[in-house]
Amino acid sequence: MTDAQQHKRNDWLVVGKGAIGLLTACQLQQQGELIRLWLRQPTELQVAMTTVRGAVRRHHFAPWPKTQAARLAFIAVKAYDALPCIQQLQTQLAEDACVILSHNGLGTLTNIQAALKPRQQLWFLTTTHGAYTQSDCSKGHQLVHSGSGSSVIGKITPADSEAVPGWFDVLGQALGPLTLVERIQPCLWQKLLINCLINPLTALHQVPNGALAETRFEATLKKLFAEYCQLAAAAGYPQQETAAWQQLQQVISNTASNRSSMLQDRLAGRKTELDFITGFVLSEADRLGLALPAHQQLYQDCLAAGF
Ligand SMILES: NC(=O)c1ccc[n+]([C@@H]2O[C@H](COP(=O)([O-])OP(=O)(O)OC[C@H]3O[C@@H](n4cnc5c(N)ncnc54)[C@H](OP(=O)(O)O)[C@@H]3O)[C@@H](O)[C@H]2O)c1
């Protein structure tokens, strides 16, 4: 690393030892960024990361020192952990900290903004990169970058400072290609459409994504899709229906053999993000005075199945 790079490197607090957080931490460290982890139990962490090309890289992370205020925090946690995590982290964040949050689903941002101080900036990142972790006593903590993707980021708190933040390029190298958008909400509503159709259905029926192309799911998918489009339009995020339907079919076909994250969570006996996916859809419908019987039924079926 040259002196110039050394001088410019950013100092990141990265939360957790989960898949997306560690992927970001490893990729940023690889570019010479200073990364310390905020773990539930402060400890050093050795990670063996398998890249998408199958190479194995070793990374070592120190814990974030509690005496230091973080100016740059990357938080990729499950949606239900986002608010508790930021509340817990608040004493550790600088008055002008920049917080980058990433999770699937929607419905956390209002409370999170309220938990931040006036000069703290909130950014939201959504990614299609895929990763998973494995802990093996003999091999330590392992991270697999299972699929290369792209990411989109937007500022949630009002844009009062520089348009392109100083960390944008390194984050783009880590989780790129990275697109900076003025308004992230339309992207999140587009992604929610895919999530709220594929995730609960595949998790409920315990099938890989590709099974949704079978005729037995066609009528249900069409009803859920029509209701979603009605809701999104009422919420101010109208979908281009033909393109959105084609995109849904494409995701089902491109990820045919994949297990959705909700199915993986269900099979592993973990809490799912249902409340921030279908639950969010239903709470928005309620707010806007719409009835969405197909989503309501799906939500009830998931609860009855023990999600
Ligand atoms: N993995 C993917 O390929 C992928 C792709 C796109 C989007 N996403 C989305 O990205 C988000 C993160 O996914 P993920 O797969 O990275 O989840 P994950 O593997 O469960 O990682 C989250 C990590 O955050 C930790 N954590 C939560 N709250 C914390 C706190 N207060 N202090 C310290 N650590 C804390 C968790 O610890 P515990 O385990 O102890 O709770 C866990 O290690 C989810 O919304 C997911 O749907 C994932």
Side-chain angles (χ1 to χ4, degrees):
M1 197 189 320
T2 65
D3 285 352
Q5 283 170 323
Q6 182 97 39
H7 182 72
K8 278 196 280 182
R9 74 180 184 165
N10 299 293
D11 189 355
W12 299 76
L13 177 157
V14 176
V15 167
K17 49 182 176 182
I20 296 296
L22 276 188
L23 173 66
T24 311
C26 291
Q27 297 287 67
L28 288 171
Q29 192 179 62
Q30 185 70 7
Q31 297 169 69
E33 294 285 271
L34 177 58
I35 312 293
R36 267 85 57 85
L37 299 183
W38 173 269
L39 302 176
R40 292 196 193 273
Q41 301 294 332
T43 177
E44 305 210 335
L45 193 73
Q46 311 274 358
V47 180
M49 172 184 161
T50 305
T51 68
V52 269
R53 295 194 176 146
V56 177
R57 287 195 331 232
R58 311 234 163 242
H59 291 264
H60 173 262
F61 299 103
W64 183 266
K66 286 204 163 162
T67 48
Q68 189 180 332
R71 298 202 61 221
L72 192 48
F74 186 87
I75 305 176
V77 294
K78 294 290 173 73
Y80 49 77
D81 273 334
L83 178 62
C85 178
I86 286 181
Q87 285 168 333
Q88 192 187 4
L89 208 57
Q90 183 52 272
T91 54
Q92 204 66 56
L93 295 174
E95 295 288 317
D96 60 350
C98 181
V99 174
I100 304 168
L101 178 66
S102 184
H103 63 67
N104 271 348
L106 275 165
T108 61
L109 292 177
T110 306
N111 288 337
I112 285 175
Q113 276 184 272
L116 291 175
K117 294 182 182 159
R119 289 170 54 224
Q120 291 174 336
Q121 294 177 20
L122 179 64
W123 295 74
F124 196 93
L125 177 141
T126 176
T127 187
T128 60
H129 281 271
Y132 61 90
T133 57
Q134 289 171 327
S135 267
D136 174 328
C137 298
S138 59
K139 294 184 186 157
H141 206 75
Q142 296 175 72
L143 167 75
V144 179
H145 187 187
S146 49
S148 196
S150 58
S151 309
V152 178
I153 193 166
K155 200 172 186 189
I156 303 296
T157 43
D160 50 358
S161 54
E162 57 193 331
V164 181
W167 41 260
F168 181 81
D169 287 344
V170 277
L171 192 60
Q173 293 292 324
L175 291 177
L178 177 63
T179 307
L180 176 62
V181 292
E182 219 168 286
R183 291 177 66 235
I184 189 91
Q185 292 288 356
C187 306
L188 301 184
W189 274 79
Q190 251 177 14
K191 186 163 183 184
L192 183 65
L193 166 66
I194 306 294
N195 277 326
C196 79
L197 268 68
I198 294 181
N199 267 293
L201 270 183
T202 52
L204 184 63
H205 295 276
Q206 304 203 8
V207 291
N209 293 355
L212 298 184
E214 294 169 16
T215 43
R216 64 179 166 132
F217 289 112
E218 194 181 332
T220 308
L221 269 183
K222 282 190 170 154
K223 270 189 234 155
L224 291 168
F225 180 80
E227 285 183 7
Y228 186 86
C229 290
Q230 186 195 4
L231 175 71
Y237 304 101
Q239 305 293 303
Q240 292 186 337
E241 295 195 19
T242 309
W245 179 256
Q246 277 168 0
Q247 200 207 347
L248 174 70
Q249 300 302 323
Q250 200 158 25
V251 173
I252 290 173
S253 138
N254 290 350
T255 63
S257 59
N258 291 12
R259 286 175 171 173
S260 70
S261 59
M262 202 177 282
L263 174 57
Q264 290 178 42
D265 286 340
R266 190 179 173 206
L267 293 175
R270 291 187 296 254
K271 185 172 173 178
T272 74
E273 295 179 297
L274 181 71
D275 280 343
F276 296 84
I277 296 179
T278 310
F280 173 79
V281 165
L282 291 174
S283 69
E284 278 294 281
D286 202 34
R287 182 178 72 81
L288 295 163
L290 295 174
L292 304 185
H295 285 271
Q296 188 67 51
Q297 185 65 52
L298 182 58
Y299 186 71
Q300 292 307 332
D301 290 346
C302 289
L303 291 189
F307 281 36

